[in-house]
Amino acid sequence: MDCGNTGLPVDGSSCGLLIVKMAKPSLDNNEDSAWLGEGPSETQVTTGPDGGEITDGDRPAWDSKIQYVLAQVGFSVGLGNVWRFPYLCHQNGGGAFMLLYVFLLLIVGVPLFFMELAAGQSMRQGSIGVWKHISPKLAGVGYSSCIVCFYVALYYNVIIAWSLFYLGNSFQYPLPWEQCPVDVTTNGTVKECESSSPTSYFWFRKALNITNSIEESGEFNAIMTGCLLAAWTIVSLAMIKGIKSSGKVMYFSSVFPYVVLFIFLIRGLILDGAMEGITYMFYPRLEIWGNMQVWRQAATQVFFALGLGFGSVIAYSSYNPVHNNCHRDALLVSGINFLTSVLASLVVFVVLGFRAKNIALRCVAENLGLLNIMASHGSNQHWWPWFNMTDPSSVSIAEYREWYSHYSSMVGPNITDCSLEEEMNKGVEGTGLAFIAFTEVMALFPASPFWSTLFFLMLLNLGLSSMFGTMQGILTPLMDNFSLLGRHHTLLTVSSCALGFLIGLLFTQRSGNYFVTMFDDYSATLPLVIVVIFETISVAWVYGSDRFLDDVEIMLKWRPPVVYKYLWKYVCLLAMSGLLAGSLLRMVFRGPTYTAWNQSTASEVTLEYPRWALAMIIMLIVFASLPVPIGYIHSVLKNRRVRNTCSEEQGGQEMYCEFYTKSSPTEQLDSKSDHRVLSEETEAHSRVAFLPMGSEHYRLLSQQEEEDDEQDTGL
């Protein structure tokens, strides 16, 4: 197709291709200067597919700053803060792990979070548009973010469906997971439940009806399929009008979990065993700082806690006013995120302390019962306890353990130790914490349905607020870069949710929990780290950290500390590269495994993935990472084709291609005062029409500058 009257053919549906090169500021060639719009260096500016201008005036905006902060907090504070951070803290040195986490949060998490906030707010586009704006060769980074967001949305909504299922079952008294059911054929307790626990049985058999391995697919779980449909319907209705509808939902979904956490904390602090749990949580074991595995886990938690690389942070900040203080937002949201993790850890450990003490006291009572039986048979041993065996409630765990430490070798194998610490050491995370350990504790509370309803309402809102951000990371970039999709926002939202539900049926079959584990462990980690590495390279090296800070200074009206320059260029890049290398090495040397439930033994076992599942894992990682090299190659070939086209002579008239670079703020002021009409010679050349995108200025590059700058950027 021809663009305007230039006769220059351009592939695709867009006209007016402009290749912009980064160049050193210059005050020469004012007569050739051209005023283009807002945007950083090396970008590809196009008109819309329909030929109309795409302007920023119709872009939605947040109703208030509070709404925006709640949206960012709601996205970053998710289920991982409740069931992943406490487990890592528990397993890796308690207070020592927290100090390590804060250190990595300050030198890696906050700088990268600030970078994404500033990029989205400055360029007012989603992830695809932002990285394409910095360099067309990095457009694939945004597409990779969208793919990973879609992966996460697929399995994250399944967890929301599980929460809906448990929420629905909480309106019963007694709760259905309080006691083992009766086998109607034998009139006895169901063997699988008797060999495990009522909560484990309810989760694995009643909720999931799980198979013994991923290789046994089984039929669809009809109830979970209905819950998944309900979950996607909620997301669709909340997102149907973009941030105008989802932003209002955030007032409840982001605040309600904090109300529940504080209620649980107050209730938990008066439980027997709460102080033991808190002491266990905060006791520092500094030797863990020498373990590189702990560093990798802390860096991964920082990475995912802030939602880096998803594109959702960029999407949310793109709806901000251009002079919003995004630096303060970065510090505020990161701080709230960490404090939420600490609050959730307090709640988890007071509850687990109560649970561990109940299990230990039950153990003491059972052992004293066995000793009473031995005493009733006339045994008269010198090692009989000195405390009252007929009243287990009067015997403390410390007294029993002191007696056992002296006479354990004489009492036989039936009498066991009862250690509260040992129970606390049995760390639980993820679904095991939420759907097994916590449900067991809530069954012990008075008015247990009330507490169960509160807990699963909290999980539901935590999941939904993160889900809204994840979906925004998909929809915003697509609408920004494809005007057809932008004009049909409602249809795009409903279609995306419908597609998510159909693909999500993979997770509602009986083996679906194993696929959730696969996606959670492997589909997002490596691709997201790769995405953030390229984001950091694009800002710190391709665009230039000094230039980026210049733009942020204009936006904020003050210059952020220069330390960010060195953190972006070296510390963050090295940390992310180390995390990528560590994750790859761990995957290669340890091999991907998953935890399965064996029905016959009523216990969990660790299994290796079959070959087809390994191929699926590799395909997921490759498919999410592939847009990065494809985008680079496509841009290089397109640039070369345009250069060749521009250098051709058609009918004796030479075609000219002109290249522009973004002017520095000083250069813009000088250019404004000395702006002239283009010379007649320049006007004689055929020109391509370009779309303005704001108020920033660009100038025409000389051929020598263009060649020199191409060498400087390496792109």
Side-chain angles (χ1 to χ4, degrees):
M1 61 180 290
D2 289 341
C3 298
N5 57 6
T6 65
L8 177 63
V10 177
D11 293 335
S13 60
S14 61
C15 293
L17 176 66
L18 172 64
I19 310 296
V20 181
K21 296 290 183 180
M22 293 184 295
K24 303 175 183 64
S26 171
L27 299 179
D28 299 332
N29 299 327
N30 281 335
E31 66 272 19
D32 290 329
S33 64
W35 301 104
L36 296 181
E38 178 88 13
S41 60
E42 195 178 27
T43 186
Q44 178 176 310
V45 184
T46 62
T47 58
D50 57 352
E53 290 189 357
I54 304 172
T55 62
D56 206 35
D58 296 332
R59 190 171 188 80
W62 298 104
D63 290 342
S64 66
K65 181 65 176 283
I66 292 178
Q67 189 183 73
Y68 163 68
V69 171
L70 287 177
Q72 288 285 19
V73 169
F75 168 67
S76 65
V77 175
L79 297 173
N81 296 75
V82 174
W83 68 30
R84 181 66 178 166
F85 183 87
Y87 171 79
L88 292 175
C89 185
H90 167 267
Q91 294 292 99
N92 297 313
F97 178 82
M98 283 193 177
L99 292 175
L100 178 59
Y101 180 87
V102 171
F103 173 71
L104 292 175
L105 180 67
L106 291 176
I107 68 167
V108 177
V110 171
L112 292 175
F113 192 63
F114 173 46
M115 182 185 75
E116 290 197 357
L117 287 178
Q121 182 173 305
S122 173
M123 301 172 201
R124 299 183 64 76
Q125 295 203 33
S127 56
I128 296 175
V130 162
W131 306 118
K132 184 192 292 184
H133 215 54
I134 287 179
S135 171
K137 297 178 179 67
L138 296 173
V141 174
Y143 287 101
S144 286
S145 291
C146 287
I147 293 173
V148 175
C149 273
F150 190 64
Y151 284 168
V152 173
L154 288 176
Y155 75 83
Y156 213 84
N157 228 20
V158 176
I159 300 174
I160 294 175
W162 294 341
S163 300
L164 284 172
F165 174 79
Y166 268 81
L167 179 63
N169 280 277
S170 296
F171 296 99
Q172 303 180 43
Y173 186 80
L175 292 171
W177 52 80
E178 284 191 20
Q179 298 175 346
C180 286
V182 176
D183 189 340
V184 293
T185 58
T186 62
N187 288 327
T189 304
V190 174
K191 184 179 178 181
E192 184 181 3
C193 182
E194 189 176 17
S195 302
S196 54
S197 69
T199 53
S200 296
Y201 175 80
F202 187 85
W203 167 243
F204 288 112
R205 190 56 49 212
K206 293 296 185 180
L208 302 179
N209 194 20
I210 201 167
T211 57
N212 289 330
S213 73
I214 196 172
E215 296 182 271
E216 304 173 27
S217 61
E219 66 276 5
F220 284 108
N221 185 327
I223 297 177
M224 281 303 170
T225 302
C227 290
L228 182 63
L229 178 61
W232 277 111
T233 302
I234 293 172
V235 172
S236 178
L237 292 175
M239 299 288 298
I240 203 161
K241 292 185 178 180
I243 63 170
K244 291 298 182 184
S245 53
S246 63
K248 289 179 173 59
V249 176
M250 288 293 180
Y251 284 114
F252 179 79
S253 63
S254 295
V255 174
F256 181 75
Y258 289 95
V259 176
V260 176
L261 283 174
F262 276 110
I263 291 174
F264 266 97
L265 179 61
I266 294 169
R267 177 67 180 90
L269 287 174
I270 62 176
L271 294 173
D272 188 22
M275 289 302 107
E276 287 89 340
I278 292 176
T279 302
Y280 191 90
M281 168 188 168
F282 283 108
Y283 182 78
R285 297 184 291 279
L286 300 179
E287 64 274 9
I288 61 99
W289 287 355
N291 187 341
M292 293 308 298
Q293 179 71 2
V294 176
W295 284 78
R296 186 192 66 82
Q297 290 181 335
T300 303
Q301 181 62 20
V302 168
F303 185 81
F304 282 101
L306 295 177
L308 300 173
F310 282 90
S312 305
V313 173
I314 295 174
Y316 275 160
S317 64
S318 71
Y319 299 115
N320 271 336
V322 71
H323 294 300
N324 173 65
N325 192 339
C326 56
H327 182 260
R328 183 175 57 198
D329 295 342
L331 296 175
L332 177 64
V333 174
S334 301
I336 292 175
N337 190 293
F338 171 67
L339 293 176
T340 305
S341 297
V342 175
L343 173 62
S345 297
L346 284 171
V347 172
V348 167
F349 274 90
V350 296
V351 169
L352 291 183
F354 170 68
R355 174 175 175 265
K357 192 158 189 178
N358 269 273
I359 293 174
L361 288 173
R362 196 182 311 138
C363 170
V364 170
E366 290 173 356
N367 284 324
L368 291 182
L370 291 174
L371 288 173
N372 276 321
I373 293 174
M374 294 172 65
S376 66
H377 284 80
S379 298
N380 187 16
Q381 304 290 345
H382 69 279
W383 42 261
W384 285 126
W386 56 83
F387 42 75
N388 185 5
M389 294 189 299
T390 60
D391 185 14
S393 61
S394 65
V395 181
S396 69
I397 298 173
E399 287 178 324
Y400 175 83
R401 296 201 70 201
E402 183 183 354
W403 169 82
Y404 186 82
S405 65
H406 287 92
Y407 302 109
S408 58
S409 59
M410 305 177 187
V411 296
N414 290 332
I415 306 300
T416 61
D417 191 14
C418 299
S419 171
L420 188 148
E421 290 76 15
E422 185 178 332
E423 290 299 328
M424 289 296 297
N425 279 331
K426 297 176 182 177
V428 286
E429 63 170 327
T431 54
L433 175 65
F435 299 110
I436 298 178
F438 252 81
T439 52
E440 181 180 332
V441 172
M442 286 181 295
L444 301 175
F445 286 179
S448 54
F450 169 76
W451 296 104
S452 180
T453 302
L454 266 186
F455 178 73
F456 288 110
L457 265 178
M458 180 190 73
L459 286 190
L460 178 63
N461 282 278
L462 280 173
L464 284 174
S465 57
S466 294
M467 189 67 187
F468 296 153
T470 303
M471 289 300 294
Q472 205 69 56
I474 301 170
L475 300 176
T476 297
L478 294 178
M479 292 187 296
D480 284 346
N481 285 270
F482 303 98
S483 61
L484 179 63
L485 298 179
R487 292 195 300 269
H488 299 88
H489 175 272
T490 301
L491 181 60
L492 175 64
T493 302
V494 174
S495 300
S496 300
C497 292
L499 179 63
F501 168 71
L502 292 175
I503 299 177
L505 293 176
L506 170 71
F507 307 108
T508 63
Q509 55 183 335
R510 290 181 58 196
S511 61
N513 184 52
Y514 303 136
F515 287 98
V516 171
T517 302
M518 176 195 291
F519 271 67
D520 188 31
D521 289 343
Y522 302 107
S523 71
T525 305
L526 290 179
L528 276 182
V529 175
I530 292 172
V531 164
V532 175
I533 287 175
F534 277 98
E535 286 182 359
T536 311
I537 291 173
S538 66
V539 168
W541 294 96
V542 176
Y543 186 61
S545 52
D546 285 322
R547 177 177 287 184
F548 189 72
L549 287 174
D550 289 341
D551 293 344
V552 174
E553 181 179 7
I554 295 172
M555 188 168 62
L556 301 184
K557 299 181 180 179
W558 60 273
R559 190 174 185 84
V562 72
V563 68
Y564 282 113
K565 169 184 175 180
Y566 300 102
L567 291 175
W568 289 329
K569 293 185 73 171
Y570 305 110
V571 177
C572 294
L573 201 53
L574 288 175
M576 290 295 100
S577 300
L579 179 58
L580 177 62
S583 301
L584 282 172
L585 290 174
R586 183 172 181 270
M587 182 182 295
V588 170
F589 288 108
R590 292 190 58 179
T593 59
Y594 68 102
T595 302
W597 177 259
N598 188 297
Q599 183 174 2
S600 58
T601 61
S603 61
E604 291 182 318
V605 293
T606 300
L607 301 177
E608 293 184 353
Y609 282 103
R611 289 187 176 181
W612 62 266
L614 290 175
M616 185 175 178
I617 291 172
I618 294 172
M619 183 187 70
L620 288 172
I621 296 172
V622 170
F623 186 69
S625 307
L626 210 54
V628 177
I630 288 178
Y632 185 89
I633 295 170
H634 174 265
S635 180
V636 169
L637 294 177
K638 191 171 185 179
N639 289 356
R640 186 174 301 170
R641 185 169 62 249
V642 171
R643 288 176 184 277
N644 292 338
T645 304
C646 291
S647 63
E648 292 177 357
E649 292 186 8
Q650 298 183 358
Q653 182 180 10
E654 186 176 356
M655 301 296 296
Y656 290 88
C657 283
E658 295 177 342
F659 298 89
Y660 294 83
T661 183
K662 191 182 78 174
S663 303
S664 68
T666 305
E667 188 177 351
Q668 292 174 20
L669 293 174
D670 292 344
S671 298
K672 284 180 181 178
S673 61
D674 194 35
H675 185 233
R676 302 186 185 96
V677 179
L678 294 173
S679 66
E680 294 180 1
E681 180 182 353
T682 307
E683 289 180 331
H685 295 158
S686 298
R687 284 192 175 275
V688 179
F690 304 113
L691 175 67
M693 295 185 65
S695 60
E696 201 162 301
H697 302 95
Y698 289 74
R699 63 180 179 79
L700 190 64
L701 276 177
S702 66
Q703 183 66 26
Q704 182 62 40
E705 281 184 304
E706 176 194 332
E707 293 173 357
D708 291 344
D709 217 55
E710 186 174 18
Q711 294 174 359
D712 291 341
T713 62
L715 290 176

